[in-house]
């Protein structure tokens, strides 16, 4: 009997350890990013953790009994007032984009910290969490919740890291090799690209140090109180940073152990299509070109010129075109074009009749295309899309077109090339095989690392030493100075000694001469 009691005690202890309290703050009002986080918070709650999330895109699924969602959707419009779609366009210089992304983050932080439901959580010293997940989208403001609530923080990004994140984690990020994701460079940089990349790097370090981080610090103090370390320190205290940078699609790079590369978190096995869609795709005997610009760049907002070029090119193609178009009326719609306001993209891409995917090449869409083995015609608009399109073309899984200059003929040729030339399909299938060949599935990896942080109350033991030394030490400037100083002293001493010896010599020669 005693044995059983002991067993019961051990079992209940084990299960209480397994059920943790997790807070998630996913502030940015963009669907594609949120789809990655939604998968994560859903899975954590299904595994029995008690999960509370603050998000503009709640799942609102009553079956998720261990999940509490604080709905921030009412604030999305005010967060978007900076014109997210507009300023992220590629013609905007990168040094004007960064301040605007920060501005959205300031607004999001104000909105979230002012939410009455959320105040009851973060302003209550009885609230205890085992770990806090925070969306990483360049601003560190929300990381301050970790200090306030005494819990380790994990940053979760649905794209690669930007210069500031790598810096805060102490991760090597030389501008000679790894350009910023907001710059359209990839692979081996040319002299000019390295020049721009370096200037940008220096500018950003100044901007962060003297403008952005002080402002983030101010906002956090306004709501969480003055008893807090400086934001620059808080940012360096992340337990882990999840990034969507797999070395299959992005150039391989060294990472410190606290950066966890993840991918495909939002991808689910294909589900059956709605009946009408299934019929359309089954009956398209010449194949289907799927066209979607994702959730941030919407087709209804495209310039008239582009719409006309697309319609003309589509009308001369033998394929059925399935176009995610967010309105009922597409002016000048050719007969082989079918428009739908919304489409289950992952399931559509899984249909065998899909020949090619015209995409803005957002990272999530690109991962889906690779996962389903559908070659890409990249048409980048904003953020990291230009860089992604460049990668798509370089690794031969598709081609890129420029939406501002593309002509009907160019577009037609690009689509025919990708749909008919088998090499793109072969390359993307090869890439998929590489991407899927992982030690553990990405979701398992993410959950394991989150639970690791919970078990060990942070990852202090994994902290990169780079974080705690100054740039003078990092670049060995002090050592260089000492070496230079010692060499100068030695050279000067030798010079002096030689001079003295020569003088002596002269003196003796003179003396000797006199004596003679
Ligand atoms: C809720 O959490 C409990 C443990 O805390 C777990 O046993 C249960 O399966 C979870 N239910 C759902 C639907 O997630
Ligand atoms: C760093 O994180 C730990 C938890 O992992 C927390 O206890 C500590 O207060 C944090 N320190 C700073 C300076 O944010
Ligand atoms: C948090 O609580 C304190 C007192 O308990 C109060 O003075 C403060 O205004 C509260 N903060 C917010 C953001 O409501």
């Amino acid at each position: 009997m005693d044995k059983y009691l002991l067993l019961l005690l051990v079992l209940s202890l084990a299960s209480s350890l397994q059920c943790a309290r997790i807070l998630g703050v996913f502030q940015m009002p963009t669907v594609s990013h949120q789809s990655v986080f939604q998968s994560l918070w859903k899975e954590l709650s299904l595994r029995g953790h008690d999960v509370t999330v603050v998000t503009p895109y709640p799942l609102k699924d009553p079956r998720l009994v261990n999940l509490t969602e604080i709905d921030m959707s009412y604030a999305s419009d005010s967060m978007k007032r900076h014109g997210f779609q507009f300023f992220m366009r590629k013609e905007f210089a990168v040094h004007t984009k960064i301040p605007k992304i920060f501005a959205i983050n300031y607004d999001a932080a104000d909105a979230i910290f002012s939410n009455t439901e959320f105040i009851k959580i973060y302003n209550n010293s009885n609230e205890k969490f085992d770990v806090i997940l925070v969306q990483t989208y360049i601003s560190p403001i929300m990381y301050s919740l970790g200090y306030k609530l005494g819990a380790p923080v994990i940053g979760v990004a649905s794209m690669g890291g930007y210069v500031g994140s790598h810096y805060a984690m102490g991760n090597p990020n030389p501008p000679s090799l790894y350009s910023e994701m907001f710059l359209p460079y990839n692979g081996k940089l040319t002299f000019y690209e390295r020049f721009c990349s370096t200037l940008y790097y220096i500018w950003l370090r100044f901007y962060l140090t003297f403008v952005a981080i002080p402002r983030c610090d101010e906002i956090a103090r306004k709501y969480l109180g003055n008893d807090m370390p400086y934001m620059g320190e808080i940012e360096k205290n992340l337990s882990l940073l999840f990034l969507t940078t797999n070395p299959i699609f992005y150039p391989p790079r060294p990472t410190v152990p606290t950066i966890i590369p993840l991918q495909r978190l939002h991808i689910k096995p294909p589900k059956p299509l709605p009946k009408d869609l299934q019929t359309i795709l089954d009956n398209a005997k010449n194949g289907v070109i799927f066209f979607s610009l994702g959730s941030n760049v919407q087709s209804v907002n495209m310039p008239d010129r582009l719409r006309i070029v697309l319609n003309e090119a589509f009308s001369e193609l033998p394929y059925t075109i399935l176009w995610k178009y967010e309105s009922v009326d597409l002016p000048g719609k050719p007969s082989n074009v079918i428009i739908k306001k919304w489409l289950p993209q992952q399931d559509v891409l899984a249909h065998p009749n899909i020949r090619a995917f015209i995409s803005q090449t957002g990272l999530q869409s690109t991962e889906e295309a690779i996962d389903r083995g559908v070659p890409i015609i990249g048409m980048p608009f904003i953020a990291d899309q230009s860089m992604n399109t460049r990668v798509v073309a370089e690794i031969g899984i598709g081609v890129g077109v420029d939406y501002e200059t593309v002509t009907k003929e160019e577009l037609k040729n690009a689509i025919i090339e990708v749909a008919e030339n088998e090499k793109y399909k072969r390359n993307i299938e090869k890439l998929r095989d590489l991407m899927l060949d992982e030690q553990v599935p990405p979701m398992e990896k993410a959950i394991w690392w989150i639970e690791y942080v919970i078990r060990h109350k942070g990852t202090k033991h994994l902290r990169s030493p780079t974080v705690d030394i100054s740039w003078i030490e990092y670049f060995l400037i002090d050592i260089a100075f000492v070496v230079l100083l010692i060499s100068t002293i030695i050279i000067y001493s030798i010079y002096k000694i030689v001079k003295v010896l020569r003088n002596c010599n002269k003196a003796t020669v003179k003396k000797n001469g006199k004596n003679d």
Side-chain angles (χ1 to χ4, degrees), residues 263-264 266-270 346 349-350 364-374 428-429 431-433 435-436:
Q263 40 158 332
R264 304 193 337 272
H266 71 294
I267 296 183
K268 297 167 185 69
Q346 299 188 13
L349 286 171
Q364 277 73 45
S365 288
T366 309
E367 281 191 340
E368 289 171 18
I370 299 172
D371 192 83
R372 306 305 197 223
V374 178
I428 203 162
E429 282 176 350
L431 196 72
R432 175 189 55 200
D433 293 346
M435 191 170 82
L436 296 185

Side-chain angles (χ1 to χ4, degrees), residues 157-161 166 178 186 242-253 255 259-267 363-364 366-368 370-371 387-388 391 395 397 431-438 442 445:
S158 57
M159 47 202 323
H166 288 293
Y178 305 105
N186 178 58
F242 289 174
L243 294 181
T244 321
T245 39
N246 68 72
I248 308 303
F249 192 69
Y250 288 125
R253 62 180 302 154
T255 47
I259 289 186
I260 313 297
L262 293 167
Q263 40 158 332
R264 304 193 337 272
L265 282 182
H266 71 294
I267 296 183
L363 185 56
Q364 277 73 45
T366 309
E367 281 191 340
E368 289 171 18
I370 299 172
D371 192 83
M387 186 186 75
N388 293 343
V391 180
I395 59 184
I397 61 171
L431 196 72
R432 175 189 55 200
D433 293 346
L434 283 174
M435 191 170 82
L436 296 185
D437 195 353
E438 282 210 308
K445 186 166 154 191

Side-chain angles (χ1 to χ4, degrees), residues 160-211:
Y162 89 121
V163 167
S165 311
H166 288 293
Y167 174 78
M169 299 305 285
N171 200 44
N173 189 47
S176 51
L177 287 170
Y178 305 105
S179 97
E180 175 71 309
M181 63 175 160
F182 299 116
L183 296 171
Y185 311 147
N186 178 58
K188 190 168 171 6
L189 306 189
T190 62
F191 179 83
Y192 173 73
E193 290 171 346
R194 271 184 297 130
F195 184 73
C196 295
S197 173
T198 308
L199 275 191
Y200 168 76
Y201 187 92
I202 295 169
W203 168 80
L204 186 68
R205 294 283 345 125
F206 273 93
Y207 181 75
L208 292 178
T209 310
F210 297 109
V211 184

